Amino acid sequence: MARVAVSRRNVLRWAGAAVAAGAAVGGGEAVADAKPARWARLRAHLRGELLLPGDNGYDTARLPFNSLFDHHRPAAIARCVRPADVQRCLEEARRSDIRVAARGGGHSYAAYSTPHDGLVVDLARMAGVEVRPDGTAVVGAGARLGEVYSALTAAGRCLPLGNCQSVGIAGFTLGGGLGWTQRKYGLACDRLRAARMVTVDSRVVTASPDREPELFWALRGGGGGNFGVVTSFEFATMPIPEVLTVFRLRFPAGSAADVLGGWQPWSVALPDEVSTSCVAMPNGAVDVFGCGIGPERLVLGELARLLAAVGVDAPIEHVEVDYPTATSYMTGGQPIRNAFRASSRIADRWHDPAAVADTVRGMDGTLLIVGALGGAIDRRTPTDTAYPHRGAPTSFEPFGTVGDLPPEQVTREVDQVQTALARLVGTGTYINYLDPSQEDWAQTAYRHNLRRLRAVARRYDPDRVLRFPQAVR
Ligand SMILES: Cc1cc2nc3c(=O)[nH]c(=O)nc-3n(C[C@H](O)[C@H](O)[C@H](O)COP(=O)(O)OP(=O)(O)OC[C@H]3O[C@@H](n4cnc5c(N)ncnc54)[C@H](O)[C@@H]3O)c2cc1C
């Protein structure tokens, strides 16, 4: 078994970041907006700024992370600095019957936080992180994961780690929050203790186990953009672990059937301390990566078992580091804004790794990111929170980078993989890997929790003020 120590410069990058290079900027259709009275009215009541088309900064501020949706031109962007600004925005949206959406980190796969011709409630300036002596963290809903993690680390605390620093804590948590340490610490939403939210009728409410409990249930996995606009989250954090071991194995072209065949049973038998994902490429190469909370001896034994199960050799790149260093390895590969299509399937079971590997074989722009679930995620039942996939072993994310390819081709590829996976592994869908062309998304993302979520949506947004194509209705 060959071993290669990873140098500090050779930062492990999240698969999405590795494939997300290359931006495609779409054209934009002009929105005829004569800055009507409503915007003057709203501007007068905001402490934050209101950007309209033509204003300085509007053309940059409007851009979503997924540049496939650069043609979305909001009618206005409100840079809110306090909950009262959010209240004024929702009042105006209701009064004028315009589309309105909250924006945290702007990483929605379908750019739902950038409604074309609508009002963006941009929370980026409400991004404070306060860590209290009892370990509770109060996090502004506009904070990005990187800001949250560095403030927590400075206080010796942590939360389950997402893969990418520029993702917003809001969308990430509201949809569940999968990541690098999920098998040990669970989902980000599992650490949520309370949330402050502005309702569509502009009330400020606190959702917690004791107050607005149905809303609190729905905010943990029910998906961003539904129910109201969260202005801050309160999390129960954990002390940072002393040492972590980050690893990567790169298996050669043509090995995908063997690697997935060995990885699948291995990943479900791992101790909770080890979280792992892999990326199957169109040429049959596979990158396996992950991290163990603990020293390298914990992880190297497990990786030796993986190599034995796979039957194909690959050097083990690994490094044992303290938590801040591990965080920079794991979340350090910052993807740039780019055009992509992605989709999701959550497995109920999977027995045919060769067929799974074949779903992306020969594709031009699409690969398959496969993540081990289980561990602490399964310490809750499928109805404890709105996230329904407790007990599922694996998450699959077909990920297509547009680059120089026609977007329709990449959409077709991703759709083909997603459809094939539904037959092979099951139909579950992770709401944060939301695919605007997936027809069965509502039933498969929320499963047995859909009916209850619909009741919460009807109660908190009866007039569908927060409407978007994949809203809970
Ligand atoms: C590069 C990249 C890496 C990713 N890595 C991971 C990962 O490791 N794990 C994971 O689970 N997911 C990951 N995702 C998916 C990510 O969690 C979702 O795209 C998430 O919705 C993004 O949240 P955001 O706040 O950045 O996005 P936004 O586009 O701002 O928001 C997403 C949705 O939530 C709504 N929303 C935003 N703020 C609020 C609020 N305050 N109150 C109510 N609704 C709100 C928006 O209106 C929109 O509908 C990744 C995505 C990308 C693009």
Side-chain angles (χ1 to χ4, degrees):
M1 174 172 79
R3 289 183 192 172
V4 178
V6 179
S7 77
R8 280 174 192 251
R9 283 161 145 211
N10 183 11
V11 173
L12 290 172
R13 285 167 192 279
W14 175 61
V19 300
V25 180
E29 52 191 272
V31 175
D33 192 328
K35 304 189 179 179
R38 63 166 168 262
W39 301 131
R41 192 166 53 217
L42 180 57
R43 189 173 259 157
H45 287 104
L46 290 182
R47 189 176 289 168
E49 227 179 328
L50 187 73
L51 291 177
L52 303 178
D55 285 349
N56 252 346
Y58 168 89
D59 276 326
T60 315
R62 76 176 176 83
L63 296 173
F65 181 82
N66 187 351
S67 59
L68 204 56
F69 298 93
D70 276 0
H71 54 282
H72 285 202
R73 293 183 63 86
I77 301 165
R79 288 177 155 161
C80 299
V81 297
R82 54 180 184 159
D85 286 354
V86 177
Q87 291 174 292
R88 301 295 86 77
C89 288
L90 289 169
E91 266 162 27
E92 195 54 62
R94 237 181 24 250
R95 183 186 322 190
S96 309
D97 193 27
I98 48 171
R99 280 205 290 161
V100 59
R103 185 195 278 173
H107 282 53
S108 161
Y109 280 17
Y112 288 142
S113 54
T114 309
H116 183 67
D117 219 4
L119 170 62
V120 175
V121 181
D122 188 336
L123 300 159
R125 296 185 179 177
M126 296 170 68
V129 180
E130 179 204 340
V131 186
R132 296 185 180 148
D134 68 353
T136 303
V138 181
V139 178
R144 311 262 180 157
L145 297 186
E147 295 168 291
V148 178
Y149 299 153
S150 41
L152 292 183
T153 304
R157 311 293 299 182
C158 69
L159 280 173
L161 267 182
N163 293 320
C164 169
Q165 299 203 14
S166 58
V167 167
I169 191 76
F172 179 70
T173 304
L174 295 170
L178 300 175
W180 278 96
T181 51
Q182 61 193 13
R183 289 174 41 79
K184 175 71 177 170
Y185 297 132
L187 304 174
C189 75
D190 294 341
R191 310 301 304 179
L192 192 64
R193 292 297 171 265
R196 295 264 280 172
M197 191 186 89
V198 177
T199 59
V200 294
D201 54 354
S202 290
R203 287 177 300 125
V204 177
V205 298
T206 298
S208 71
D210 309 320
R211 287 176 285 174
E212 318 277 346
E214 275 301 281
L215 176 63
F216 183 58
W217 173 84
L219 292 178
R220 289 173 294 156
N226 300 298
F227 321 118
V229 177
V230 175
T231 54
S232 66
F233 298 94
E234 198 176 303
F235 291 101
T237 64
M238 295 84 61
I240 56 175
E242 259 173 44
V243 65
L244 293 90
T245 303
V246 185
F247 61 88
R248 179 177 189 167
L249 296 87
R250 293 180 234 205
F251 291 94
S255 64
D258 290 330
V259 177
L260 291 182
W263 183 89
Q264 192 267 337
W266 173 77
S267 68
V268 295
L270 280 169
D272 293 358
E273 282 68 27
V274 183
S275 295
T276 176
S277 296
C278 57
V279 181
M281 322 277 181
N283 66 356
V286 182
D287 266 17
V288 173
F289 50 93
C291 97
I293 296 172
E296 61 178 29
R297 67 172 181 281
L298 165 87
V299 169
L300 291 178
E302 295 301 336
L303 294 177
R305 272 188 279 285
L306 171 66
L307 285 176
V310 165
V312 178
D313 204 16
I316 299 175
E317 302 167 39
H318 64 93
V319 61
E320 182 186 300
V321 281
D322 63 12
Y323 185 78
T325 312
T327 310
S328 72
Y329 276 107
M330 293 185 283
T331 65
Q334 280 309 299
I336 52 165
R337 232 171 57 77
N338 70 107
F340 65 92
R341 292 309 290 245
S343 192
S344 162
R345 286 297 176 197
I346 300 279
D348 300 320
R349 81 281 147 190
W350 55 299
H351 308 295
D352 193 346
V356 169
D358 265 0
T359 58
V360 288
R361 188 149 62 105
M363 296 251 159
D364 288 323
T366 303
L367 44 68
L368 188 59
I369 304 170
V370 187
L373 302 173
I377 297 173
D378 294 349
R379 277 186 219 128
R380 306 207 178 211
T381 74
T383 53
D384 279 352
T385 69
Y387 174 88
H389 308 295
R390 313 282 179 178
T394 316
S395 150
F396 293 86
E397 185 187 10
F399 192 98
T401 301
V402 172
D404 294 332
L405 297 169
E408 315 74 54
Q409 180 191 336
V410 178
T411 301
R412 237 184 352 262
E413 285 189 359
V414 168
D415 190 48
Q416 191 180 317
V417 180
Q418 176 263 112
T419 307
L421 285 172
R423 285 193 305 271
L424 292 167
V425 305
T427 55
T429 299
Y430 176 42
I431 195 65
N432 269 352
Y433 300 157
L434 198 148
D435 171 0
S437 44
Q438 189 180 320
E439 283 172 14
D440 63 0
W441 67 273
Q443 289 294 341
T444 60
Y446 298 124
R447 299 193 145 171
H448 46 270
N449 290 334
L450 179 59
R451 185 196 290 243
R452 190 169 164 193
L453 277 168
R454 283 180 168 151
V456 179
R458 275 196 301 276
R459 177 159 163 210
Y460 286 90
D461 185 11
D463 302 324
R464 302 198 58 182
V465 174
L466 298 166
R467 51 188 182 271
F468 61 101
Q470 290 172 301
V472 172
R473 289 296 165 240

